[in-house]
Amino acid sequence: MKSLVRTFILMAAMTFTYNCYCQTLPTDTVKETLLKNGWKTDHILGLDPNTETYKLTKYNPQEIFAGNLTQFLDNSTFHSQYTAWCGNDNFTNVFGKYKFLDKDKIAIAVDTVTYSGGWTKPTEHRKSNYSTFTISIVKDTLILTRQK
């Protein structure tokens, strides 16, 4: 009996913790949040069509930073890039479109990929189809997970 009570309490605590840290926001809030912030990302958004998840955390422009940044420029376009404060590197820029399908679903499509710095690759004009991602929130991170 005691182990059953302990199990119930543990499950209730886990459910509460999950609900506190894994949440979805109303569409307007997600849109506003995406537009008013720059985002550090674990991958350049849309560069690799096989990437299953993207993790976005707010970028502080006062911070010295090297890595991937993504900006949602208006209600339909985005720019994702690799940046380095030193300026001596291989730089990749992705330009594309996005649209919200639901309060927790976004679709992205890549139009152009450019390379600069040490790269000698030509510009890619992809004009890709939209890929759909669910949006979840864990603490201060937005997670985009590809829908299959």
Side-chain angles (χ1 to χ4, degrees):
M1 180 68 168
K2 285 184 181 182
S3 68
L4 183 61
V5 171
R6 283 187 203 141
T7 302
F8 177 75
I9 291 171
L10 180 61
M11 289 178 66
M14 289 172 57
T15 301
F16 175 76
T17 302
Y18 177 82
N19 287 335
C20 288
Y21 291 107
C22 294
Q23 29 179 316
T24 57
L25 293 173
T27 304
D28 291 343
T29 305
V30 172
K31 284 181 187 176
E32 290 171 9
T33 301
L34 285 175
L35 285 168
K36 73 179 180 182
N37 296 294
W39 299 92
K40 294 189 283 189
T41 53
D42 59 344
H43 304 284
I44 297 175
L45 188 64
L47 180 63
D48 180 355
N50 297 314
T51 300
E52 294 294 318
T53 61
Y54 295 96
K55 293 178 182 171
L56 291 73
T57 55
K58 288 182 185 176
Y59 168 65
N60 176 355
Q62 304 304 317
E63 164 186 4
I64 295 176
F65 176 75
N68 304 317
L69 292 175
T70 299
Q71 292 178 295
F72 294 86
L73 303 172
D74 53 35
N75 286 323
S76 64
T77 61
F78 73 89
H79 173 216
S80 194
Q81 65 182 336
Y82 171 77
T83 186
W85 61 270
C86 66
N88 297 321
D89 215 331
N90 296 329
F91 301 99
T92 304
N93 288 273
V94 173
F95 299 90
K97 302 179 291 277
Y98 74 95
K99 59 185 176 182
F100 278 89
L101 304 177
D102 202 349
K103 68 180 181 180
D104 64 346
K105 286 193 176 140
I106 190 170
I108 66 165
V110 173
D111 293 328
T112 307
V113 180
T114 63
Y115 303 94
S116 61
W119 288 117
T120 57
K121 294 180 175 185
T123 295
E124 298 174 19
H125 299 283
R126 292 191 183 175
K127 305 295 182 198
S128 66
N129 293 325
Y130 280 94
S131 296
T132 303
F133 295 83
T134 57
I135 302 169
S136 58
I137 301 166
V138 177
K139 296 186 182 178
D140 62 347
T141 302
L142 293 178
I143 299 173
L144 306 183
T145 305
R146 183 181 301 276
Q147 296 294 282
K148 297 183 184 206

